[in-house]
């Protein structure tokens, strides 16, 4: 089991007037090769949750396990954990600092203590993987466009060759074409054999891409399961300020109007076919 | 049609040292009280166009008249900014002071408004965006959506005729986005404030009176949301998206259903499909 | 983490002293500092200490806050005390071990200096504890406004201070985020030699500075968009106004000064 979390509770500044409970008894499992979506608002605790995946936030022993290693134990080698779990934060382009793209991407591998030849190989591969032109390697990251900068930042994490990649809102702030390209990139990273966890606000995006979803609300897991299982709760989701995909909304409306629509249906193709079945008498 | 409050005739603007103009020969007329959404991929010139409207930049050629003023001198620029407010993208980088109500007062203080008048208008503006309870709060304790509402209040206190929102919802979560868009729409309908709404979110554009799509500094498409989004291929080519229902209705039409063109919302779609059943 | 650092240790409240005009508090603090220097004996100090404690008590601020504020300068107080103790050689000898000689005059001088230092710090602390940074800035701007005649940039300085105050939490937040992001890439900020640690700060500081410049540019644009054109012709929503309590405060300070002067002359010690 790559990531296993058992009843994780996290309180910020305990014992002060600023005490805040960010997470309350959150449990989750992520299996090898899965594409997991985590959905929730600002302040739902999702940033705190993903910070636990690679030990940036520490828990008590016996709560957070990565590949069987207990991250709560004092003597756990954190660098080894960060080699396994790559974390791409929101707006990661703001963490770039080196003179050239190649040097910036090399930062992670260098911290892992790899030799120069290996670093060079990994940088070249990461640049290719995120779809940047090889000529970008010697440019300053600050000359690139916003979308390209973000790709450099993702390449910097991929160069550590994590087996689990966590991305917090990878498409935030991009234009529609940029969003599409970014989600394609995440999809291709997953297809290359990496376990992916994507934090997102967009039910459309997670519905299209993810195998399973966890919906966080006020530090607790409100719903979990396959997208279809989660989208069944459309009204509860709406109450906590999250929308189901448009097609799922249409399916509900049609069901209420006497159409025969399967529960939890949300993909456009499925909704289209269900409508056609209803109108053409099952043809 | 009301008389135009924004009148752009062949407006171009080129940044110093740039290869090509950021805004290229744009002609556009916006009526008083209109809600116009401006779309376009990154680098299409929409943000530059917004800065021209607020006289933060002046056109290199062409004529731009905002609320009857053609900005030439520095004083003209301040007159334009008084009547055309602007809300920016990053909620953190447009709040000036450490207390919410003082930030709302900032614009009026700059205009030299008497203190009692500032007080009254600030209270009104905060009320209008639903942030009265936070008048004495520190902005750093607020969520992104709340910060943007403060930014709207700060502009509103100056009683502008036009508000330009430059991707003001891009960094917000769905609740914040809904709140800020809702406020803009309400101000437009109730206070007759003209809104220029720059966005990447198609579902917001779908609710505008008119959509203008920019590409390469020029206006590439223009019309009601229905007209614009009906041209699905062209819209996608311009790096944008169309509402999901538009895509679905196209697919259903391809399968032989007789649905009308231009269905955009779930409600419209449901009504039409129920009619077919 | 970085967020926990509180700046300008303001202690919110609604006491009489909290409600004083910031200008009054600024001037009163300066006056109080002067009075501390005027006092020539412990008798005066005792009175001043009683005055300060009474003020602190009326604000509801716990004594431990005042004591906590002395911690950073604890070393300086001890240093001043020891220095005066050993090098003031006049007066009667109390202790003499090897080359160390302590006289009664030395002991008196050392205690006098230490108490004076403590009183100075505590009185200025009372100001920062009861006045929010922003009204302190406002007070300073108004006090220095007459100096604009000689082109002293009172408004600009006040504006810079208030923007700095506004952005400190934002930048702290950002520093925290960048630090986490770099740690996720295996960066190590905690261990290693001094040189190694200084080098490890580069991946934090470069993005932080780049970000700060970006923010500054955007903020300047946003200020322009709201018709900011410097201090000339600007009004303020909140006008500072002297009230009766300000007069009372002034009288209290004057009375304290008079008492200290009298104690200097007639005080028993």
């Amino acid at each position: 089991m790559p990531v296993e979390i058992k009843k994780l509770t996290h309180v910020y500044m305990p014992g002060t007037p600023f005490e805040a409970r960010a997470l309350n008894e959150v449990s989750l499992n992520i299996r090898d090769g899965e594409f997991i979506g985590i959905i929730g608002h600002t302040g739902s605790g999702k940033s705190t949750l993903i910070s636990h995946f690679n030990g940036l936030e520490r828990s008590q022993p016996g709560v957070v396990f990565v590949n069987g290693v207990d991250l709560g134990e004092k003597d756990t080698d954190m660098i080894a954990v960060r080699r396994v779990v790559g974390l791409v934060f929101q707006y990661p382009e703001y963490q770039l600092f080196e003179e050239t793209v190649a040097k910036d991407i090399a930062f992670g591998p260098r911290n892992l203590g790899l030799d120069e030849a290996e670093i060079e190989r990994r940088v070249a591969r990461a640049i290719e993987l995120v779809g940047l032109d090889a000529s970008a390697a010697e440019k300053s990251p600050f000359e690139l466009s916003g979308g390209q900068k973000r790709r450099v930042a993702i390449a910097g994490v991929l160069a550590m060759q994590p087996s689990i990649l966590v991305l917090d809102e990878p498409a935030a702030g991009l234009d529609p074409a940029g969003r599409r390209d970014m989600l394609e990139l995440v999809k291709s990273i997953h297809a290359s054999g990496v376990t992916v966890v994507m934090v997102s606000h967009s039910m459309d995006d997670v519905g299209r891409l993810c195998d399973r979803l966890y919906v966080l609300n006020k530090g607790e897991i409100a719903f979990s399961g396959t997208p279809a299982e989660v989208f069944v709760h459309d009204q509860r989701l709406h109450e906590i300020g999250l929308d189901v995909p448009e097609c799922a909304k249409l399916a509900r409306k049609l069901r209420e109007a006497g159409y025969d629509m399967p529960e939890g249906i949300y993909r456009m193709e499925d909704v289209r076919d269900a409508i056609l079945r209803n109108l053409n008498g099952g043809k | 049609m009301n008389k135009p409050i924004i009148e752009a005739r062949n407006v171009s603007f080129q940044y110093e040292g740039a290869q090509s103009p950021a805004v290229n020969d744009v002609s556009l007329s916006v009526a008083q009280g209109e809600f116009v959404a401006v779309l376009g991929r990154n680098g299409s010139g929409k943000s530059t166009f917004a800065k021209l409207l607020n006289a933060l930049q002046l056109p290199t050629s062409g004529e731009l008249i905002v609320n009857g003023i053609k900005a030439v001198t520095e004083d003209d620029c301040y007159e334009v900014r008084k009547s055309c407010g602007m809300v920016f993208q990053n909620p953190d980088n447009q709040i000036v002071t450490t207390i919410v109500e003082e930030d709302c007062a900032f614009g009026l203080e700059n205009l030299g408004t008497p203190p009692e008048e500032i007080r009254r208008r600030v209270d009104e503006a905060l009320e209008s965006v639903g942030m009265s309870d936070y008048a004495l709060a520190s902005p750093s304790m607020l969520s992104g959506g709340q910060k943007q509402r403060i930014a709207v209040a700060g502009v509103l206190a100056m009683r502008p005729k036009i508000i330009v929102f430059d991707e003001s919802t891009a960094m917000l979560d769905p609740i914040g986005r809904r709140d800020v868009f809702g406020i803009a729409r309400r101000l437009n309908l109730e206070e007759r404030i003209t809104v220029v709404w720059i966005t990447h979110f198609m579902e917001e554009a779908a609710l505008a009176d008119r959509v203008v799509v920019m590409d390469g500094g020029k206006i590439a498409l223009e019309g009601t949301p229905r007209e614009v989004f009906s041209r699905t291929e062209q819209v996608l080519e311009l790096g944008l998206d169309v509402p999901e229902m538009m895509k679905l209705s196209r697919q259903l039409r391809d399968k032989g259903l007789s649905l009308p063109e231009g269905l955009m919302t779930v409600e419209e779609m449901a009504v039409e499909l129920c009619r077919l059943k | 983490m970085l967020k926990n650092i509180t700046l300008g240790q303001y202690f919110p409240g609604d006491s009489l002293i909290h409600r004083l005009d910031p200008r009054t508090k600024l001037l009163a603090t300066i006056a109080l500092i002067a009075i501390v220097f005027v006092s020539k004996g412990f008798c005066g100090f005792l009175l001043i200490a009683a005055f300060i404690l009474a003020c602190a008590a009326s604000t509801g601020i716990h004594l431990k806050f005042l004591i906590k504020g002395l911690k950073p300068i604890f070393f300086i107080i001890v240093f001043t005390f020891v220095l005066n103790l050993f090098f003031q050689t006049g007066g009667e000898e109390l202790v003499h071990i090897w080359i160390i000689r302590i006289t009664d005059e030395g002991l008196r001088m050392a205690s006098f200096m230490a108490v004076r230092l403590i009183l100075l710090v505590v009185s200025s602390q009372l100001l920062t504890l009861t006045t929010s940074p922003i009204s302190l800035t406002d007070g300073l701007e108004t006090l220095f406004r007459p100096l604009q005649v000689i082109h002293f940039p009172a408004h600009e300085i006040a504006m810079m201070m208030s923007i700095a105050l506004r952005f400190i939490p934002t930048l702290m937040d950002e520093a925290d985020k960048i630090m986490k992001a770099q740690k996720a890439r295996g960066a190590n900020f905690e261990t290693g030699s001094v040189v190694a640690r200084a080098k490890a700060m580069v991946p934090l500081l470069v993005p932080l500075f780049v970000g700060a410049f970006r923010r500054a540019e955007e903020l300047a644009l946003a200020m322009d968009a709201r018709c900011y054109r410097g201090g000339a012709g600007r009004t303020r929503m909140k006008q500072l106004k002297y009230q009766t309590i300000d007069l009372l405060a002034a009288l209290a300070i004057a009375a304290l000064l008079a008492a200290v002067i009298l104690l200097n002359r007639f005080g028993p010690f």
Side-chain angles (χ1 to χ4, degrees), chain C residues 138-259:
Chain C
D138 275 356
L140 281 171
E141 182 183 358
T142 326
L143 281 179
F144 282 118
R145 196 171 289 156
L147 292 184
Q148 274 173 340
V149 188
I150 56 159
H151 298 289
F152 180 78
H155 166 76
E156 283 74 12
I157 289 176
M159 185 52 95
M160 280 195 291
M161 277 171 68
S162 96
I163 289 175
L165 287 170
R166 154 75 187 79
F167 276 91
I168 283 167
T170 311
L171 291 177
M172 289 278 186
D173 225 35
E174 184 146 299
D176 204 38
K177 275 185 200 152
I178 296 169
M179 209 157 170
K180 268 182 146 183
Q182 307 299 28
K183 272 192 195 164
R185 293 209 276 166
N188 183 349
F189 295 105
E190 276 118 24
T191 53
S193 67
V194 177
V195 179
R197 267 200 246 185
K199 258 178 101 179
M201 294 307 275
V202 173
L204 169 65
L205 292 178
V206 170
L208 196 60
F209 273 102
V210 171
F213 278 115
R214 180 174 40 83
R215 285 179 194 284
E217 243 168 67
E218 287 182 21
L219 183 73
L221 206 60
M223 287 169 74
D224 267 349
R226 288 209 266 161
C227 300
Y228 181 68
R229 52 205 305 191
R234 248 185 137 241
T235 48
R236 299 303 305 271
M237 175 170 70
K238 289 178 188 157
Q239 304 291 75
L240 294 177
K241 241 191 259 153
Y242 289 119
Q243 288 161 312
T244 329
I245 44 169
D246 295 297
L247 182 66
L248 291 176
L251 289 175
I253 289 284
L256 182 69
L257 177 63

Side-chain angles (χ1 to χ4, degrees), chain A residues 18 40-42 90-91 94 147 172-180 201-202 204 208 238 240-243 246-247 249-250 253-254 257-260 268-269 271-273 275-276 278-280, chain B residues 40-43 89-90 141 143-144 167 170-175 177-178 200-202 235-236 239-241 243-245 247-248 251-252 255 257 264-267 269-270 272-274 276-277:
Chain A
F18 305 104
H41 286 296
T42 324
Q90 224 172 352
Y91 300 101
Y94 294 145
L174 298 178
D175 62 8
R179 282 185 82 86
R180 280 198 293 268
H201 288 141
S202 164
D204 277 308
R208 208 162 36 239
H238 187 77
I240 59 179
L242 294 166
D243 264 339
E246 295 274 281
C247 285
K249 281 191 220 166
L250 179 68
K253 277 218 180 306
L254 292 177
Y259 266 76
D260 176 26
M268 186 173 291
E269 309 85 74
V271 172
R272 178 196 64 201
D273 294 345
I275 291 170
L276 292 172
N278 272 277
L279 294 177
N280 301 346
Chain B
R41 65 177 115 220
N42 284 341
Q89 179 182 26
N90 192 326
M141 307 302 283
S143 73
E167 289 189 42
M171 299 179 80
L172 307 182
D173 68 7
I175 292 185
R177 212 184 289 157
R178 223 182 286 163
H200 282 321
F201 295 107
M202 302 304 128
V235 170
L236 291 175
L240 305 176
D241 214 342
E244 293 286 292
M245 286 303 120
K247 289 185 202 159
L248 180 64
Q251 290 191 11
L252 289 169
K255 296 277 178 185
L257 290 195
M264 282 196 309
T265 67
V266 171
E267 285 69 27
M269 182 65 116
E272 285 301 324
L273 285 172
C274 288
L276 288 177
K277 178 133 177 119

Side-chain angles (χ1 to χ4, degrees), chain C residues 26-59:
Chain C
L26 274 162
L27 294 173
T29 307
I30 295 166
L32 202 56
I33 287 169
I35 295 172
V36 171
F37 278 105
V38 165
S39 177
K40 287 189 188 132
F42 287 97
C43 218
F45 281 164
L46 208 62
L47 186 68
I48 297 167
F51 182 82
I52 292 173
L53 286 176
C55 289
S58 80
T59 58

